[in-house]
Amino acid sequence: MGHGVPELVLESNGRTWTLDPSRSYTLGRDPQGDVVFDDARVSWRHATISFNGRSWVIEDHGSTNGTFVQGQRIHHLELGPGTAVNLGNATDGPRLNLSGAAAAVATPQAQPQQPYAAQQADPGWAQAPQQQAPHQQVQQQAAPQQVPPQQAGWQQGAPGIPQQSPAEGYAQQVPGVGAGAPPVYGDRSPTTFHQFSLGRVMRIGRALENDLVVSDLQVSRHHAEFHSTPDGRMEIRDLGSHNGTYVNGQPIAKGGSQLLGPTDIVGVGHSTFRIVGDRLEEFVDTGEVSFSARHLTVTVDGGKQILKDVSFGVPEKSLIAVIGPSGSGKSTLLKALTGYRPANQGEVLYDNRNLYKQFAELRQRIGLVPQDDILHKELTVKKALKYAAKLRFPADTTAAERQARIDEVLRELKLDIHKDKKVTSLSGGQRKRVSVALELLTKPSLIFLDEPTSGLDPGMDRDVMQLLRGLADDGRTVLVVTHSVAELALCDKLLVMAPGGAVAYFGPPEEALNFFGYDTWADVFSAFENYRDYDWAGRWKGSQHYQMYAADIDAVAPQAVQMPALQAMKPPKPQGWGSQLVTLVRRYASVIASDKGFIALMFALPAVIGVVSALIPADYGLGLGPAKGKPPFSNRDGSTILLILAVGACFAGAANSVRELIKERVIYERERATGLSRSAYLMSKVIVLGVITAVQGGLLGAIGLLYRGDKMPKEGLLLTGSPVLELTLPIMALGFTSMMFGLIISSLVKTAEKTMPLLVMFAIVQVVFTGCLFQLHDKIGVEQIAWLMPARWAVSAAGTTAQLNVLLPWDPANPDPLWEHELSQWCVDMGVLLALGVACGFVVARFLRRHEPEVMRK
């Protein structure tokens, strides 16, 4: 001790430390900390004790359950001999007693306390180096003593399955561990206090002129404001914000207001506000949040349970891996945890807030990286992130603000050197980083990843897992579903799912193999397969590991999920419908412009079909011939030309769109959860593909018809001076409606490979129902089916102009009414053709609902 520095001795649980003023001491559950507590109420890095040059001070690091002195929650307090500090609970939380140097009975310098398991397993653990990288902390913990499987004691009827893990027993020596320990979440201490005065208006927003400035790009420049009413109550008024203002997790109407009670919490972006007396408390979600699942059960049609009573809880800044064999419910669990498919029973708690009931607000704080990349691979990294930021941030954010956030994320993930490369040119690991970067734009506190290392080599597997470890250390909670077991040591906790959707183990990854009594994970998975009827969940719940790591979470009785009203669940959109549409159209156009192969095919297809139609020998073409308006024989050349043009338009239009929705399904599902408008998304496809299809139809008509000269009708019905253009318009409209049919196919199929057979079938069916091969009218049943075929109405519209009842008289005494040479009939044929396209749009919008998060469906 230096001269004049007051010595301080720390005593807890029978151990003492004499503190050195030249360094600080971390308190928490982190095994690499200086004073370690194996108590679920204590945060991972709970508090720090240090000497500030004048006195000893304790500083709480925003712990979940708080630091208390004399029953009062403190954040920064000077310490002295005689002070008693409780962590996690004011009365029975772990206690620290402080005294002067006379009480010292320990070594001159504090030694880092070992986790209780490590003390039992490895007496030399404390001699490990203190300064370790965060991702090495798990490797530094000593595993429990290895017990050969043959000595572990086997459950009768289940060979190879130990009744008790080798680590069981040491928890019984640890007071406070196991049953009775409170969960790892709770109310947090306020970040800032603001004083109210009667009659004052306090405005919240991103702009500097607001009373409460919230530096969050998800917050509008002028977002909301607090008002005091004449009777002394307070209300919150939304100022037309883009991402919405929330009271107790539910959005209030845009531009509306709501009176506040003493327990109401107002959410604005990543900040929440609570009124306490005449004071406004602000809580900023910096990412260090706890997360827990309680009794999650998912039942499908028929009563089959695919997720059974899953409970676990993790503190802030944790990396959790979920592994298990196929059929163990990992994907279902991920959907339940993210709110995509809420569990039928149980609850998911985000820092003690029910995710299902407050999904509209909390969805903005959750990032999800599916197994498939959630970005357009044809774009550069920078451009892909630019469009994502444009969609997710409010419309009043400037391009400079969005670009600054993009650059920040690129630097954090070391992608800045790749920002001008196309996503397709990146390696698998780099593409996964770009997907993570897209999610990090909005600074989520929880990040979920589904098989991020699937298909990667071991080196990339390690790089991705180290990336996730870094994300957790930087202040986020990360949960990853994976099949890879090579890098599990980087994780804080491991959740093992058994066949049937039940928990087989939850706890430190280094203790898992000993818990199962096997040497490799291959052996564990083989046991799952060989003993599918064994009660893995029962074995887990009967273990001491369960008492240590899950009993406190499991202690609360399960409950059915009570969802709010549907209108309350519908979250506001970051941008208006028109702004989203413009962004989506620009992005889609950029994607197509980047695909040179598609552009070449887009022009080649109608050109080839047009040339094929031009090769048809036609003595009279689509004209009526030289003999007073009537050909000397039935002119089938004209109907053949229209048949080829119609089939070409059908095939080209449907081919343009038949893959567009299926290839973007994962992207759409994720963006829909972040506020994307379904109708804006569909309309962007209709506009871009509609323009492309119209160009193709014009090219097809020009090549197939223009050169025929006097073998064309002399005048049109609508465009009297341009009969070729009037014949081309139905071809263009047929291409558009066929494109809409292609979108239906794309929204129905489950894989892109199934689109081509359906495309061919669609085109062939149109050939049959054009009316050019056999007479359709007056055939009961066949005629009614033909009314649903766009080719029937397109050929009929062209047939009214070309007078097919004269060129191709199937029955001169009973002409086809849809071919009547009248302007009104031409308008009816074109109107029905376009109406079919519009009807297809409604059908596609309906089918798109099936590919949205269930909680988002209206």
Side-chain angles (χ1 to χ4, degrees):
M1 290 290 176
H3 181 69
V5 176
E7 293 186 345
L8 194 68
V9 176
L10 176 66
E11 186 273 329
S12 178
N13 197 31
R15 291 173 58 95
T16 58
W17 295 259
T18 301
L19 305 188
D20 183 351
S22 65
R23 55 165 294 193
S24 62
Y25 295 84
T26 59
L27 286 62
R29 289 179 23 256
D30 184 356
Q32 299 301 318
D34 299 298
V35 183
V36 183
F37 297 91
D38 202 342
D39 190 303
R41 295 169 291 183
V42 178
S43 295
W44 192 253
R45 295 176 181 87
H46 195 103
T48 299
I49 295 179
S50 61
F51 187 74
N52 63 5
R54 183 171 56 88
S55 62
W56 290 94
V57 295
I58 184 170
E59 181 178 0
D60 186 282
H61 291 310
S63 63
T64 301
N65 295 311
T67 304
F68 300 87
V69 174
Q70 295 182 348
Q72 300 297 316
R73 187 165 184 167
I74 59 97
H75 306 285
H76 189 279
L77 184 70
E78 292 187 359
L79 299 174
T83 306
V85 179
N86 287 88
L87 304 181
N89 188 282
T91 56
D92 63 350
R95 184 180 180 91
L96 302 173
N97 295 308
L98 305 173
S99 60
V105 288
T107 58
Q109 184 168 328
Q111 295 295 330
Q113 184 179 352
Q114 309 166 28
Y116 293 99
Q119 295 174 24
Q120 297 288 327
D122 186 359
W125 188 90
Q127 278 70 46
Q130 294 181 12
Q131 300 300 324
Q132 299 291 341
H135 66 272
Q136 294 174 331
Q137 64 187 31
V138 184
Q139 298 170 349
Q140 290 298 321
Q141 295 180 353
Q145 297 176 354
Q146 300 292 324
V147 177
Q150 64 270 21
Q151 300 176 11
W154 306 113
Q155 178 77 14
Q156 185 177 3
I161 300 171
Q163 292 183 1
Q164 188 177 27
S165 78
E168 290 178 3
Y170 67 75
Q172 298 172 356
Q173 306 173 30
V174 184
V177 174
V184 295
Y185 45 77
D187 292 334
R188 295 188 176 275
S189 56
T191 308
T192 316
F193 300 98
H194 307 278
Q195 202 68 30
F196 266 129
S197 58
L198 191 61
R200 182 184 173 193
V201 174
M202 296 185 71
R203 178 172 291 182
I204 310 170
R206 204 174 71 248
L208 295 178
E209 62 266 20
N210 290 285
D211 301 291
L212 301 176
V213 179
V214 180
S215 300
D216 181 353
L217 288 183
Q218 290 191 304
V219 176
S220 299
R221 293 184 61 82
H222 299 97
H223 196 103
E225 56 189 19
F226 287 98
H227 286 259
S228 60
T229 60
D231 59 359
R233 301 179 65 185
M234 296 299 300
E235 70 174 3
I236 182 69
R237 181 176 301 169
D238 183 83
L239 299 178
S241 64
H242 295 278
N243 277 321
T245 303
Y246 301 83
V247 176
N248 300 325
Q250 303 305 320
I252 63 176
K254 182 171 287 192
S257 61
Q258 183 170 330
L259 288 171
L260 300 175
T263 60
D264 289 337
I265 296 178
V266 176
V268 174
H270 282 78
S271 296
T272 52
F273 300 88
R274 181 170 59 190
I275 298 173
V276 180
D278 60 349
R279 189 173 67 175
L280 182 68
E281 297 181 346
E282 179 181 1
F283 303 77
V284 179
D285 185 347
T286 58
E288 298 184 4
V289 299
S290 60
F291 182 76
S292 61
R294 285 180 170 179
H295 301 286
L296 297 183
T297 299
V298 174
T299 306
V300 295
D301 294 339
K304 180 182 178 182
Q305 288 186 344
I306 55 178
L307 207 63
K308 297 179 181 178
D309 197 27
V310 175
S311 298
F312 64 94
V314 293
E316 64 271 14
K317 301 174 70 170
S318 296
L319 174 59
I320 306 95
V322 180
I323 65 172
S326 299
S328 59
K330 299 188 299 295
S331 297
T332 303
L333 175 63
L334 192 66
K335 291 179 180 179
L337 295 177
T338 56
Y340 271 43
R341 198 286 187 199
N344 301 94
Q345 275 193 330
E347 57 186 356
V348 176
L349 297 180
Y350 174 104
D351 236 23
N352 209 27
R353 302 176 65 185
N354 191 304
L355 174 65
Y356 296 160
K357 295 182 179 180
Q358 303 187 25
F359 182 80
E361 177 186 355
L362 296 179
R363 69 187 177 94
Q364 303 177 34
R365 308 186 192 183
I366 296 175
L368 174 62
V369 181
Q371 183 173 349
D372 297 322
D373 294 325
I374 50 175
L375 34 84
H376 293 86
K377 299 178 182 179
E378 300 84 359
L379 300 178
T380 63
V381 172
K382 181 171 63 177
K383 190 169 287 187
L385 294 181
K386 183 187 78 171
Y387 286 120
K390 181 74 173 173
L391 286 172
R392 297 193 182 193
F393 290 140
D396 62 3
T397 54
T398 64
E401 287 176 313
R402 292 193 298 269
Q403 190 59 50
R405 179 57 188 156
I406 291 172
D407 293 340
E408 182 182 351
V409 170
L410 290 175
R411 285 193 301 270
E412 180 180 358
L413 298 183
K414 298 180 176 60
L415 286 169
D416 44 348
I417 59 175
H418 303 295
K419 64 181 180 180
D420 293 318
K421 296 179 182 178
K422 284 190 176 182
V423 176
T424 49
S425 67
L426 301 178
S427 66
Q430 290 168 344
R431 283 203 302 272
K432 195 58 64 176
R433 282 178 179 264
V434 178
S435 293
V436 173
L438 190 150
E439 290 301 309
L440 289 185
L441 289 175
T442 55
K443 297 184 178 180
S445 301
L446 292 175
I447 302 178
F448 296 89
L449 301 99
D450 188 10
E451 299 287 356
T453 60
S454 177
L456 301 184
D457 61 51
M460 289 185 179
D461 180 359
R462 180 181 58 193
D463 291 343
V464 171
M465 291 301 291
Q466 287 178 340
L467 165 68
L468 302 183
R469 177 71 259 171
L471 293 177
D473 293 334
D474 287 342
R476 305 174 183 93
T477 299
V478 183
L479 187 145
V480 53
V481 174
T482 180
H483 277 112
S484 174
V485 296
E487 304 296 333
L488 294 180
L490 294 175
C491 302
D492 299 301
K493 290 289 189 295
L494 175 64
L495 177 67
V496 183
M497 300 294 292
V503 176
Y505 173 82
F506 177 72
E510 67 272 15
E511 298 177 16
L513 284 176
N514 272 5
F515 174 82
F516 289 106
Y518 291 101
D519 295 326
T520 67
W521 282 108
D523 294 332
V524 175
F525 278 46
S526 294
F528 283 149
E529 180 64 29
N530 295 333
Y531 308 106
R532 298 186 70 90
D533 295 332
Y534 180 69
D535 186 9
W536 295 99
R539 175 178 179 273
W540 157 244
K541 290 188 175 182
S543 69
Q544 289 295 333
H545 276 77
Y546 171 79
Q547 295 297 324
M548 292 178 59
Y549 302 118
D552 52 336
I553 298 295
D554 226 5
V556 180
Q559 61 181 31
V561 179
Q562 300 295 327
M563 301 298 288
L566 287 178
Q567 62 268 22
M569 289 299 299
K570 183 182 177 183
K573 295 177 174 58
Q575 298 183 19
W577 189 89
S579 180
Q580 282 197 12
L581 177 62
V582 171
T583 301
L584 290 167
V585 167
R586 291 178 58 190
R587 182 178 70 177
Y588 191 29
S590 297
V591 170
I592 290 178
S594 301
D595 190 347
K596 301 298 189 293
F598 179 82
I599 294 176
L601 184 63
M602 180 181 71
F603 289 105
L605 183 61
V608 170
I609 296 175
V611 169
V612 169
S613 68
L615 294 177
I616 298 173
D619 294 330
Y620 299 103
L622 292 169
L624 293 178
K628 296 182 181 181
K630 292 186 178 181
F633 53 84
S634 177
N635 180 9
R636 295 184 178 273
D637 295 335
S639 62
T640 304
I641 294 170
L642 290 181
L643 174 64
I644 296 298
L645 293 177
V647 172
C650 284
F651 191 84
N656 288 339
S657 61
V658 76
R659 289 177 178 264
E660 290 308 301
L661 297 182
I662 180 64
K663 75 179 185 182
E664 290 187 2
R665 184 161 295 173
V666 176
I667 299 176
Y668 171 73
E669 184 180 59
R670 179 66 193 125
E671 291 184 341
R672 179 73 176 129
T674 62
L676 180 71
S677 166
R678 182 195 309 138
S679 57
Y681 174 79
L682 178 57
M683 188 56 66
S684 70
K685 298 292 185 186
V686 172
I687 291 174
V688 175
L689 292 176
V691 170
I692 292 173
T693 304
V695 172
Q696 289 177 321
L699 185 62
L700 189 63
I703 296 175
L705 300 176
L706 266 181
Y707 83 100
R708 296 187 184 275
D710 61 352
K711 293 186 175 64
M712 298 297 295
K714 298 299 182 286
E715 62 180 19
L717 294 170
L718 179 67
L719 307 173
T720 54
S722 303
V724 173
L725 179 57
E726 186 171 300
L727 286 169
T728 302
L729 287 178
I731 302 302
M732 296 169 67
L734 175 59
F736 172 82
T737 301
S738 298
M739 180 269 293
M740 299 300 293
F741 268 92
L743 289 179
I744 291 180
I745 295 174
S746 191
S747 64
L748 275 174
V749 296
K750 293 183 177 180
T751 62
E753 289 75 17
K754 295 180 180 178
T755 58
M756 295 312 296
L758 293 175
L759 171 63
V760 173
M761 182 180 69
F762 170 76
I764 291 177
V765 169
Q766 300 309 305
V767 173
V768 175
F769 289 98
T770 55
C772 296
L773 299 181
F774 61 92
Q775 180 176 318
L776 288 175
H777 69 286
D778 284 350
K779 292 186 180 298
I780 304 301
V782 175
E783 182 179 18
Q784 284 68 38
I785 295 175
W787 290 345
L788 301 175
M789 303 298 165
R792 166 65 164 154
W793 297 98
V795 170
S796 297
T800 60
T801 301
Q803 299 187 55
L804 278 186
N805 273 331
V806 179
L807 292 176
L808 186 64
W810 293 113
D811 183 358
N814 183 22
D816 192 330
L818 301 186
W819 293 356
E820 286 296 324
H821 187 61
E822 300 288 344
L823 176 60
S824 59
Q825 187 59 51
W826 186 91
C827 292
V828 168
D829 293 340
M830 286 292 288
V832 174
L833 177 59
L834 294 174
L836 282 175
V838 174
C840 288
F842 286 104
V843 174
V844 175
R846 190 72 181 173
F847 285 151
L848 275 177
R849 291 180 67 253
R850 303 188 311 163
H851 309 300
E852 298 173 2
E854 185 171 319
V855 75
M856 296 282 294
R857 299 175 192 171
K858 296 192 289 257

